[in-house]
Amino acid sequence: MRKALSYAINREELMEYGAKGNAYNLGGHIPPGARGHNPNLTLYTYDTTKAKSLLAEAGYPNGFKMTLITPEAQELEALIMKAMYERIGLKVKLEVLSYYGFLQKVFVPLMDKPAEEQEWDITVCYN
């Protein structure tokens, strides 16, 4: 399913609308010159047909419900990703949280409940 979610993301569209054209593809998950950069990794391409096929193989031919959380600062990017996931048949609930509220979901020392009891599936955030 992780692969399906990756194929569902149109990175060019995300950069154009989410970053308003003020971004570029680094060509990998970690930028060249940074510790851990691997030039042999290939990025997933945008392919909704492949994404839907992978979902069907995983037993979800009609998609599934999921919750996407994000801090307020990434609301635009999350809205764009939500639309992309909905293109492949997912039913996405988006929760936009204050930064502290977001940390209460993802940062272990501040979590409002244990990790295994959290009720979100994917997050959009910045590092």
Side-chain angles (χ1 to χ4, degrees):
M1 288 198 323
R2 279 191 240 171
K3 285 184 180 180
L5 295 176
S6 291
Y7 279 111
I9 299 298
N10 182 332
R11 286 157 183 79
E12 296 300 319
E13 186 178 336
L14 188 57
M15 288 186 290
E16 181 178 348
Y17 298 108
K20 300 178 181 162
N22 294 308
Y24 60 92
N25 191 328
L26 294 172
H29 302 287
I30 299 173
R35 183 175 154 196
H37 174 72
N38 182 346
N40 299 317
L41 291 178
T42 54
L43 294 177
Y44 290 95
T45 57
Y46 176 59
D47 187 338
T48 56
T49 302
K50 177 82 172 173
K52 290 176 186 178
S53 172
L54 289 168
L55 284 177
E57 283 179 37
Y60 298 96
N62 301 313
F64 56 87
K65 293 179 182 178
M66 67 178 248
T67 300
L68 171 67
I69 65 170
T70 189
E72 294 164 329
Q74 272 66 55
E75 182 175 6
L76 177 59
E77 294 92 334
L79 283 167
I80 294 166
M81 291 176 69
K82 176 184 184 293
M84 291 176 189
Y85 290 141
E86 289 172 342
R87 290 176 193 163
I88 63 167
L90 303 182
K91 291 99 183 149
V92 183
K93 175 183 173 187
L94 175 61
E95 291 183 15
V96 180
L97 307 165
S98 68
Y99 185 66
Y100 185 74
F102 177 76
L103 289 177
Q104 288 182 300
K105 304 290 181 199
V106 301
F107 186 53
V108 174
L110 298 177
M111 281 184 169
D112 56 4
K113 55 178 120 176
E116 62 275 5
E117 294 177 19
Q118 292 292 328
E119 298 168 353
W120 56 272
D121 301 292
I122 194 167
T123 178
V124 176
C125 63
Y126 60 89
N127 285 338

